[in-house]
Amino acid sequence: MALPLVRPPPLALYVHMPWCVRKCPYCDFNSHAARDTGLPEAAYVDAVLRDLDLECERLATGPARPLISIFIGGGTPSLLSGAAIKRLLAGVRARLELSSDVEITLEANPGTVDQAHFAGYAEAGVNRLSIGVQSLSAEVLGRLGRIHTPEDALRAVAAARATGMSNLNLDLMFALPGQDLLAARGDLERLIALEPTHLSYYELTLEPNTAFYQRPPALPDPDLADAIQQQGLELLAAAGFERYEISAFAQPGQRCRHNLNYWRFGDYLGIGAGAHGKLSDARSGSVERRAKRRHPDAYLSASVNARDPTSSVRTLSEQDLLEEFVLNAFRLVDGFTAIEFERGTGLGAHRLEPGLRAATELGLVSCSETSGQRLIQPTERGLAFLNDLIACFSV
């Protein structure tokens, strides 16, 4: 099995909010339409903090590690009031140490927020917002089933800035129903003009168990989708955004620490309905994945009845460690070093060799020496055909 780790990896916290106003037809996340009677936000914060208590008991057997980041995702976390987020984050601080420069992100839907919401989140300690714009075309937003308008998105960005929240990620999709090169260019140019610090620019994909998968809309063909992406990459680079991950672009010094921790195979606690976590035991080298009950009612019921909300626990095998590491690390433009692989998994770097040989023959990776370390990076082709690259490391 894997060897003891030299030191435990960085630790982050993910908090899942499972409700939204309406399920988007392309969404495969664990989200559920909110009840007409309103959200049980007080009960849900109680349940999440009880969940965290159990996670802290598991942490107690290892060395103390401060949280480097907190990410409140969903669903639509911006349905929660500022008071609920304040109580949630106060509860986290009471249970865990936070690093002095902790990054605290909250996802927001432009159709559910105003300046009062953002002021409450800022007061609670949120210092980074991720706003799901997705498109600035009213027609396209309608096709996507979004509840907001382009004007709502512009107002949300202005409201966030008015409260002093300057660290903003904006999400934008491309290769959307009916979209051509000109429309995609206009969408991205308008988003860049809002001057976010970070931009997530990703292609709409049809995921199983979604309405779009069952009834596919007319999407751009692969050649047009590729042309749209290449156009976008050029526009983003010209605007000073550095591509550091397949779909993540940042101004200098503004990379998302929380997502980087995922991609670098760091540890994270997952609390909330359907949340997943990863925790390493530095002494044994074992890595455990834990998932929570998906449906909000089942999750809340477990809390009310003082039951563990965990639905599954899995200790990763050596092959799991190899595959999960490369699945994450090859998303990064900079790739990873052989030493980072060994430190993250407890496995010897020789475990990479069969996959690297296959991937190199296909032109999907490049290997070089830098500062005395072996650097392994996806090529442009590897980034474009990530599934083929990852398959090289599967049994």
Side-chain angles (χ1 to χ4, degrees), residues 106-324:
L106 181 138
E107 289 185 332
N109 184 312
T112 63
V113 288
D114 53 26
Q115 193 163 327
H117 273 86
F118 287 139
Y121 301 150
E123 182 183 350
V126 173
N127 53 27
R128 183 177 184 272
L129 289 170
S130 181
I131 302 177
V133 175
Q134 311 309 356
S135 175
L136 285 168
S137 162
E139 183 179 3
V140 170
L141 287 172
R143 292 173 184 165
L144 293 175
R146 301 292 293 177
I147 66 169
H148 70 275
T149 65
E151 293 73 26
D152 290 333
L154 298 179
R155 281 193 291 268
V157 172
R161 289 223 166 90
T163 61
M165 301 275 269
S166 59
N167 194 1
L168 298 180
N169 169 69
L170 302 181
D171 287 346
L172 189 74
M173 292 193 289
F174 66 87
L176 302 175
Q179 192 175 58
D180 59 18
L181 267 171
L182 184 61
R185 183 183 186 93
D187 232 11
L188 183 53
E189 286 179 334
R190 286 192 292 274
L191 204 74
I192 289 172
L194 296 176
E195 299 183 340
T197 53
H198 190 283
L199 220 157
S200 297
Y201 189 56
Y202 56 99
E203 183 176 353
L204 172 64
T205 55
L206 304 184
E207 301 289 352
N209 302 315
T210 65
F212 271 4
Y213 189 83
Q214 300 300 322
R215 297 177 296 280
L219 299 179
D221 63 45
D223 288 341
L224 177 54
D226 182 65
I228 290 173
Q229 182 179 34
Q230 293 306 312
Q231 171 184 259
L233 293 177
E234 293 170 8
L235 287 171
L236 288 162
F241 286 91
E242 178 187 27
R243 186 190 194 192
Y244 67 100
E245 186 266 348
I246 287 180
S247 58
F249 302 80
Q251 290 291 342
Q254 299 296 335
R255 295 183 178 190
C256 177
R257 289 185 226 160
H258 188 84
N259 287 340
L260 276 172
N261 190 54
Y262 291 149
W263 298 323
R264 290 172 174 163
F265 213 52
D267 280 354
Y268 51 96
L269 307 178
I271 58 175
H276 288 246
K278 167 188 173 283
L279 197 59
S280 305
D281 186 323
R283 295 167 299 180
S284 67
S286 65
V287 177
E288 179 183 274
R289 286 209 175 274
R290 185 176 294 267
K292 305 301 168 61
R293 299 179 189 221
R294 286 180 56 84
H295 199 281
D297 291 344
Y299 182 82
L300 286 167
S301 175
S303 175
V304 168
N305 293 288
R307 296 196 302 268
D308 189 333
T310 299
S311 61
S312 67
V313 181
R314 182 169 64 97
T315 298
L316 302 187
S317 67
E318 290 191 13
Q319 183 62 28
D320 290 334
L321 289 167
L322 169 64
E323 293 181 10
E324 291 201 14

